[in-house]
Amino acid sequence: MKKNIEPCYYGDYLQLDKILGAQHLQSEKYGGAAHEEMLFIIVHQVYELWFKQVLHELHSVIDTFSQTQVKDQELITVVHRLHRIIQIQQLMNDQISVMETMTPQQFLSFRDYLVPASGFQSIQFKRLEISLGLKREYRIDFDKQSFYNRLEPRDRELLESLEKKPSLFELVDQWLARMPLLKKDSFDFLKHYQQATDELLSADKNTIENNTTLSDKERYQELKDWQTTRESFDALFDEEKYLALRGDGKFRLSHKAMLSSLFIKQYAEEPIFNLPFQLITALTEIDEKLTIWRYRHAMMVQRMLGTKIGTGGSSGHHYLKKTTESNRIFVDFFNMATFLLPKDMLPELPGSIKRYLGFYLGDNRE
């Protein structure tokens, strides 16, 4: 590696004069400075810096999955960068504890000077959401209808152009859907899996019907829940039923991607599935960390403002709490636990398939 010709000094390299000179208190314009406003500014500036780094990592992952073929070796880098995002998310979640050292009255000492500024207007965070897969059609009404109307034209144009590009969710869905592993030679995963699930569900139904400790009402409810589960399983084996449930919002993954994901998770110990399993697990954790961040943010806002509206015009705590569950992205990976079978119920893989799964992960694009 070549050495630098000119000296590189710490403060100049990090441009600390710009960073440390970027905290301007609004409260100073209207009288005495509010002491806690400095903390408020720095916490949010640090968030934006971390958002920038997460976007840097995320874009590299999206670039990888945008290729015509995803090589096995590239998945190692992808998983590594997703794990880095997870660690950054943990820092961001912990950072809320620093903000919570501020009391509601301390926050109110400068809060009204910030109208109409709001974290709701963070363009980087919206870029992060959209790039992961939270596009306009999946947002709650307030987010969907009002957000774009509150942006400057250049920011609105940036996000609307991003909406038209494939998100990580869409690219991973396509990658999973083209995995040529569900059928090979004489092995048909779905056929074996359906037989095993029929046995499992029949046993569950028999347990409910013969449970003498249940009242008639309890038995009726449990059988009703069993029927719902049965219908979800049936959709795995019937693409038309699956598409109908997907249209109702029960699933987001395509049918083929769901089956491939299920195959990977059921046989995660097979060498060929090691990296895909790590990928699915990492995306699940990213969604979980993001949900925790939303929840903790909502709780902090309630703690600071009670039921007051947000400075950006939203319903404050109520809006944030609603986005906690509504704005999920990889929720199918969470719900997949519904379809997992105990190891002793899984069909034994033929020797030829086990040898194949032990050495090579193909990527077949039709």
Side-chain angles (χ1 to χ4, degrees):
M1 190 175 83
K2 294 181 179 179
K3 293 185 178 181
N4 56 312
I5 298 174
E6 297 180 356
C8 179
Y9 296 104
Y10 181 80
D12 295 336
Y13 178 61
L14 298 179
Q15 299 190 55
L16 294 181
D17 56 337
K18 294 180 181 179
I19 294 175
L20 300 180
Q23 294 76 41
H24 303 289
L25 277 60
Q26 279 289 103
S27 55
E28 286 185 331
K29 298 179 180 180
Y30 303 97
H35 179 84
E36 270 67 27
E37 190 180 357
M38 178 66 76
L39 172 67
F40 188 82
I41 292 173
I42 288 176
V43 166
H44 285 84
Q45 287 178 335
V46 172
Y47 271 133
E48 291 296 331
L49 286 171
W50 282 130
F51 290 156
K52 185 171 184 176
Q53 183 64 39
V54 169
L55 285 168
H56 181 62
E57 306 295 344
L58 184 58
H59 289 160
S60 73
V61 172
I62 287 175
D63 286 344
T64 298
F65 279 100
S66 297
Q67 298 176 111
T68 55
Q69 184 178 19
V70 181
K71 297 179 180 178
D72 301 354
Q73 297 89 335
E74 292 175 310
L75 284 180
I76 297 174
T77 301
V78 163
V79 169
H80 175 73
R81 289 177 179 168
L82 291 177
H83 284 164
R84 181 179 290 161
I85 290 174
I86 291 167
Q87 292 304 314
I88 293 172
Q89 286 181 290
Q90 186 60 51
L91 279 174
M92 291 194 292
N93 287 343
D94 291 342
Q95 193 170 294
I96 293 177
S97 298
V98 179
M99 184 80 83
E100 288 177 336
T101 63
M102 187 190 320
T103 68
Q105 283 188 315
Q106 288 170 342
F107 178 48
L108 292 174
S109 67
F110 63 88
R111 185 245 185 183
D112 288 345
Y113 300 141
L114 307 183
V115 177
S118 170
F120 184 67
Q121 299 162 341
S122 172
I123 302 304
Q124 286 202 117
F125 185 66
K126 293 302 178 186
R127 285 173 58 198
L128 172 59
E129 289 183 318
I130 294 169
S131 296
L132 282 171
L134 184 60
K135 294 191 174 181
R136 184 180 297 194
E137 63 265 31
Y138 296 107
R139 295 184 181 277
I140 61 175
D141 289 342
F142 179 85
D143 216 356
K144 186 188 305 182
Q145 298 171 2
S146 303
F147 171 65
Y148 280 94
N149 297 332
R150 297 167 183 267
L151 297 177
E152 295 181 13
R154 63 180 181 180
D155 293 330
R156 185 184 307 117
E157 183 178 344
L158 171 65
L159 295 184
E160 287 180 339
S161 66
L162 191 58
E163 291 265 4
K164 298 174 185 177
K165 297 179 181 179
S167 67
L168 181 58
F169 178 92
E170 293 165 313
L171 292 169
V172 168
D173 185 285
Q174 293 165 15
W175 176 74
L176 287 166
R178 64 179 183 261
M179 278 193 173
L181 300 174
L182 293 173
K183 284 186 179 182
K184 183 170 176 58
D185 301 331
S186 61
F187 176 72
D188 186 336
F189 165 70
L190 200 56
K191 180 180 178 180
H192 289 285
Y193 177 72
Q194 185 172 9
Q195 292 173 350
T197 57
D198 285 343
E199 292 177 14
L200 176 68
L201 290 170
S202 295
D204 286 347
K205 186 177 183 181
N206 185 62
T207 298
I208 295 170
E209 290 176 336
N210 293 286
N211 188 345
T212 57
T213 65
L214 295 176
S215 65
D216 290 342
K217 184 177 181 180
E218 289 171 334
R219 182 174 292 101
Y220 171 81
Q221 184 59 51
E222 290 203 12
L223 287 172
K224 186 177 179 181
D225 293 340
W226 177 91
Q227 183 61 37
T228 300
T229 302
R230 170 80 267 184
E231 290 170 1
S232 295
F233 271 95
D234 287 344
L236 294 179
F237 313 116
D238 187 323
E239 190 169 1
E240 286 189 13
K241 290 181 179 179
Y242 185 92
L243 291 175
L245 291 177
R246 192 184 184 202
D248 292 337
K250 186 172 180 62
F251 302 112
R252 276 197 63 180
L253 285 172
S254 66
H255 187 240
K256 287 184 178 179
M258 174 64 81
L259 294 178
S260 290
S261 302
L262 186 59
F263 193 14
I264 290 167
K265 295 198 78 169
Q266 290 282 29
Y267 295 97
E269 71 280 359
E270 299 298 332
I272 199 172
F273 288 148
N274 181 264
L275 286 171
F277 177 74
Q278 287 190 55
L279 173 72
I280 290 172
T281 302
L283 292 174
T284 305
E285 191 162 353
I286 285 172
D287 203 4
E288 180 178 344
K289 297 287 188 189
L290 189 55
T291 301
I292 291 171
W293 187 84
R294 293 182 193 281
Y295 178 78
R296 290 204 62 187
H297 190 198
M299 292 300 97
M300 181 185 66
V301 169
Q302 184 178 28
R303 177 175 173 173
M304 294 291 182
L305 296 176
T307 59
K308 295 185 182 75
I309 62 170
T311 51
S314 72
S315 57
H317 161 71
H318 295 294
Y319 160 73
L320 292 170
K321 189 175 181 181
K322 192 171 182 181
T323 65
T324 299
E325 276 300 319
S326 300
N327 289 355
R328 301 280 295 281
I329 300 166
F330 296 99
V331 68
D332 284 330
F333 291 151
F334 285 85
N335 293 337
M336 203 167 289
T338 303
F339 305 117
L340 295 180
L341 300 178
K343 287 292 183 183
D344 60 1
M345 290 196 68
L346 291 176
E348 183 68 25
L349 295 175
S352 60
I353 300 299
K354 285 188 72 67
R355 286 192 296 274
Y356 180 82
L357 297 183
F359 294 101
Y360 177 76
L361 173 62
D363 188 354
N364 181 31
R365 183 184 290 273
E366 295 180 357

